[in-house]
Short mmCIF file of all heavy atoms in Angstrom, two decimals:
data_model
loop_
_atom_site.label_atom_id
_atom_site.label_comp_id
_atom_site.label_asym_id
_atom_site.label_seq_id
_atom_site.Cartn_x
_atom_site.Cartn_y
_atom_site.Cartn_z
N ARG A 858 0.83 -1.19 0.00
CA ARG A 858 0.00 0.00 0.00
C ARG A 858 0.87 1.24 0.00
O ARG A 858 2.04 1.21 0.40
CB ARG A 858 -0.96 0.02 1.19
CG ARG A 858 -0.30 0.28 2.54
CD ARG A 858 -1.34 0.58 3.60
NE ARG A 858 -0.72 0.85 4.90
CZ ARG A 858 -0.60 -0.03 5.87
NH1 ARG A 858 -1.08 -1.27 5.72
NH2 ARG A 858 -0.02 0.31 7.01
N ILE A 859 0.27 2.35 -0.43
CA ILE A 859 0.98 3.61 -0.49
C ILE A 859 0.00 4.73 -0.17
O ILE A 859 -1.16 4.69 -0.55
CB ILE A 859 1.63 3.82 -1.88
CG1 ILE A 859 2.50 5.08 -1.90
CG2 ILE A 859 0.57 3.87 -2.98
CD1 ILE A 859 3.36 5.18 -3.16
N SER A 860 0.48 5.73 0.56
CA SER A 860 -0.34 6.87 0.90
C SER A 860 -0.53 7.76 -0.32
O SER A 860 0.15 7.62 -1.34
CB SER A 860 0.29 7.66 2.04
OG SER A 860 1.53 8.21 1.64
N TRP A 861 -1.46 8.69 -0.21
CA TRP A 861 -1.73 9.60 -1.32
C TRP A 861 -0.47 10.38 -1.70
O TRP A 861 -0.17 10.56 -2.89
CB TRP A 861 -2.85 10.57 -0.94
CG TRP A 861 -3.25 11.47 -2.07
CD1 TRP A 861 -4.18 11.22 -3.03
CD2 TRP A 861 -2.70 12.76 -2.36
NE1 TRP A 861 -4.26 12.28 -3.91
CE2 TRP A 861 -3.37 13.24 -3.52
CE3 TRP A 861 -1.73 13.56 -1.76
CZ2 TRP A 861 -3.08 14.48 -4.08
CZ3 TRP A 861 -1.44 14.80 -2.33
CH2 TRP A 861 -2.12 15.24 -3.46
N SER A 862 0.26 10.86 -0.72
CA SER A 862 1.45 11.65 -0.98
C SER A 862 2.64 10.80 -1.42
O SER A 862 3.60 11.33 -1.98
CB SER A 862 1.84 12.44 0.27
OG SER A 862 2.24 11.58 1.31
N GLY A 863 2.58 9.52 -1.15
CA GLY A 863 3.70 8.65 -1.44
C GLY A 863 4.72 8.58 -0.33
O GLY A 863 5.73 7.87 -0.45
N ASP A 864 4.48 9.30 0.75
CA ASP A 864 5.43 9.34 1.85
C ASP A 864 5.47 8.04 2.64
O ASP A 864 6.49 7.73 3.26
CB ASP A 864 5.09 10.49 2.80
CG ASP A 864 5.31 11.85 2.18
OD1 ASP A 864 6.09 11.95 1.22
OD2 ASP A 864 4.70 12.82 2.67
N SER A 865 4.38 7.32 2.64
CA SER A 865 4.28 6.11 3.43
C SER A 865 3.98 4.91 2.54
O SER A 865 3.02 4.92 1.77
CB SER A 865 3.19 6.26 4.49
OG SER A 865 3.04 5.08 5.25
N VAL A 866 4.82 3.90 2.64
CA VAL A 866 4.61 2.65 1.91
C VAL A 866 4.74 1.48 2.86
O VAL A 866 5.43 1.57 3.89
CB VAL A 866 5.60 2.49 0.74
CG1 VAL A 866 5.39 3.58 -0.30
CG2 VAL A 866 7.04 2.52 1.24
N TYR A 867 4.09 0.40 2.52
CA TYR A 867 4.13 -0.79 3.37
C TYR A 867 3.97 -2.01 2.49
O TYR A 867 3.14 -2.03 1.59
CB TYR A 867 3.01 -0.73 4.42
CG TYR A 867 3.06 -1.83 5.43
CD1 TYR A 867 3.93 -1.75 6.51
CD2 TYR A 867 2.25 -2.95 5.32
CE1 TYR A 867 3.99 -2.76 7.45
CE2 TYR A 867 2.30 -3.97 6.25
CZ TYR A 867 3.17 -3.87 7.32
OH TYR A 867 3.22 -4.87 8.25
N TYR A 868 4.78 -3.03 2.77
CA TYR A 868 4.78 -4.24 1.96
C TYR A 868 4.55 -5.48 2.81
O TYR A 868 4.97 -5.55 3.97
CB TYR A 868 6.11 -4.41 1.24
CG TYR A 868 6.45 -3.30 0.28
CD1 TYR A 868 7.24 -2.22 0.67
CD2 TYR A 868 6.00 -3.34 -1.04
CE1 TYR A 868 7.55 -1.22 -0.21
CE2 TYR A 868 6.32 -2.34 -1.93
CZ TYR A 868 7.10 -1.28 -1.51
OH TYR A 868 7.41 -0.27 -2.40
N ALA A 869 3.92 -6.45 2.20
CA ALA A 869 3.88 -7.76 2.80
C ALA A 869 5.29 -8.33 2.83
O ALA A 869 6.11 -8.07 1.94
CB ALA A 869 2.96 -8.69 2.02
N ASP A 870 5.59 -9.11 3.86
CA ASP A 870 6.93 -9.67 3.99
C ASP A 870 7.33 -10.49 2.77
O ASP A 870 8.51 -10.51 2.38
CB ASP A 870 7.01 -10.55 5.24
CG ASP A 870 6.99 -9.75 6.52
OD1 ASP A 870 7.26 -8.53 6.49
OD2 ASP A 870 6.70 -10.34 7.58
N SER A 871 6.38 -11.13 2.15
CA SER A 871 6.68 -12.02 1.04
C SER A 871 7.17 -11.30 -0.21
O SER A 871 7.76 -11.94 -1.09
CB SER A 871 5.44 -12.85 0.69
OG SER A 871 4.36 -12.03 0.31
N VAL A 872 6.95 -10.00 -0.29
CA VAL A 872 7.34 -9.26 -1.50
C VAL A 872 8.38 -8.19 -1.24
O VAL A 872 8.83 -7.53 -2.19
CB VAL A 872 6.11 -8.63 -2.19
CG1 VAL A 872 5.06 -9.69 -2.48
CG2 VAL A 872 5.53 -7.50 -1.34
N LYS A 873 8.78 -8.00 -0.01
CA LYS A 873 9.78 -6.99 0.31
C LYS A 873 11.08 -7.24 -0.45
O LYS A 873 11.56 -8.36 -0.51
CB LYS A 873 10.06 -6.97 1.81
CG LYS A 873 8.94 -6.39 2.65
CD LYS A 873 9.30 -6.38 4.13
CE LYS A 873 8.20 -5.78 4.96
NZ LYS A 873 8.51 -5.82 6.40
N GLY A 874 11.60 -6.19 -1.02
CA GLY A 874 12.83 -6.29 -1.78
C GLY A 874 12.64 -6.67 -3.22
O GLY A 874 13.58 -6.56 -4.02
N ARG A 875 11.45 -7.11 -3.59
CA ARG A 875 11.18 -7.52 -4.96
C ARG A 875 10.13 -6.64 -5.64
O ARG A 875 10.20 -6.40 -6.84
CB ARG A 875 10.73 -8.97 -5.02
CG ARG A 875 11.77 -9.96 -4.52
CD ARG A 875 11.35 -11.40 -4.80
NE ARG A 875 10.10 -11.75 -4.13
CZ ARG A 875 8.98 -12.09 -4.76
NH1 ARG A 875 8.94 -12.14 -6.09
NH2 ARG A 875 7.90 -12.42 -4.06
N PHE A 876 9.14 -6.21 -4.88
CA PHE A 876 8.05 -5.40 -5.42
C PHE A 876 8.20 -3.96 -4.95
O PHE A 876 8.65 -3.71 -3.83
CB PHE A 876 6.69 -5.93 -4.96
CG PHE A 876 6.28 -7.25 -5.55
CD1 PHE A 876 7.17 -8.05 -6.23
CD2 PHE A 876 4.97 -7.68 -5.40
CE1 PHE A 876 6.79 -9.27 -6.76
CE2 PHE A 876 4.57 -8.90 -5.93
CZ PHE A 876 5.48 -9.70 -6.61
N THR A 877 7.78 -3.03 -5.79
CA THR A 877 7.80 -1.62 -5.45
C THR A 877 6.48 -0.98 -5.84
O THR A 877 6.07 -1.06 -7.00
CB THR A 877 8.95 -0.88 -6.15
OG1 THR A 877 10.20 -1.49 -5.82
CG2 THR A 877 8.98 0.59 -5.72
N ILE A 878 5.84 -0.36 -4.88
CA ILE A 878 4.59 0.33 -5.15
C ILE A 878 4.87 1.82 -5.32
O ILE A 878 5.73 2.39 -4.65
CB ILE A 878 3.56 0.09 -4.02
CG1 ILE A 878 2.19 0.64 -4.41
CG2 ILE A 878 4.04 0.67 -2.70
CD1 ILE A 878 1.08 0.25 -3.45
N SER A 879 4.16 2.44 -6.23
CA SER A 879 4.33 3.86 -6.47
C SER A 879 3.03 4.41 -7.06
O SER A 879 2.12 3.66 -7.39
CB SER A 879 5.51 4.13 -7.40
OG SER A 879 5.30 3.55 -8.68
N ARG A 880 2.98 5.72 -7.20
CA ARG A 880 1.85 6.33 -7.88
C ARG A 880 2.34 7.51 -8.69
O ARG A 880 3.35 8.13 -8.37
CB ARG A 880 0.75 6.72 -6.89
CG ARG A 880 1.11 7.71 -5.82
CD ARG A 880 0.10 7.66 -4.68
NE ARG A 880 -1.28 7.79 -5.15
CZ ARG A 880 -2.36 7.55 -4.42
NH1 ARG A 880 -2.23 7.17 -3.15
NH2 ARG A 880 -3.58 7.69 -4.94
N GLY A 881 1.61 7.81 -9.74
CA GLY A 881 2.00 8.87 -10.64
C GLY A 881 1.91 10.23 -10.01
O GLY A 881 1.26 10.42 -8.97
N SER A 882 2.57 11.19 -10.64
CA SER A 882 2.58 12.54 -10.10
C SER A 882 1.19 13.16 -10.06
O SER A 882 0.92 14.00 -9.19
CB SER A 882 3.53 13.43 -10.91
OG SER A 882 3.14 13.47 -12.28
N ALA A 883 0.33 12.74 -10.96
CA ALA A 883 -1.04 13.25 -10.97
C ALA A 883 -1.92 12.58 -9.93
O ALA A 883 -3.05 13.00 -9.72
CB ALA A 883 -1.65 13.07 -12.36
N LYS A 884 -1.43 11.54 -9.30
CA LYS A 884 -2.09 10.83 -8.20
C LYS A 884 -3.32 10.04 -8.63
O LYS A 884 -4.05 9.54 -7.78
CB LYS A 884 -2.46 11.80 -7.07
CG LYS A 884 -1.32 12.68 -6.60
CD LYS A 884 -0.13 11.88 -6.10
CE LYS A 884 0.98 12.79 -5.60
NZ LYS A 884 2.19 12.03 -5.21
N ASN A 885 -3.55 9.93 -9.92
CA ASN A 885 -4.69 9.16 -10.39
C ASN A 885 -4.28 7.81 -10.97
O ASN A 885 -5.13 7.09 -11.52
CB ASN A 885 -5.49 9.96 -11.41
CG ASN A 885 -4.68 10.29 -12.65
OD1 ASN A 885 -3.46 10.14 -12.68
ND2 ASN A 885 -5.37 10.75 -13.69
N THR A 886 -3.03 7.47 -10.85
CA THR A 886 -2.53 6.20 -11.34
C THR A 886 -1.56 5.60 -10.33
O THR A 886 -0.69 6.31 -9.81
CB THR A 886 -1.83 6.34 -12.69
OG1 THR A 886 -2.72 6.96 -13.64
CG2 THR A 886 -1.43 4.98 -13.24
#
């Protein structure tokens, strides 16, 4: 998961180090 601002992210242990969550600058993607 990721916050609206992108300041806070959290991953399941099973994907840490392999997956990266992000969102576009427009915040709609």
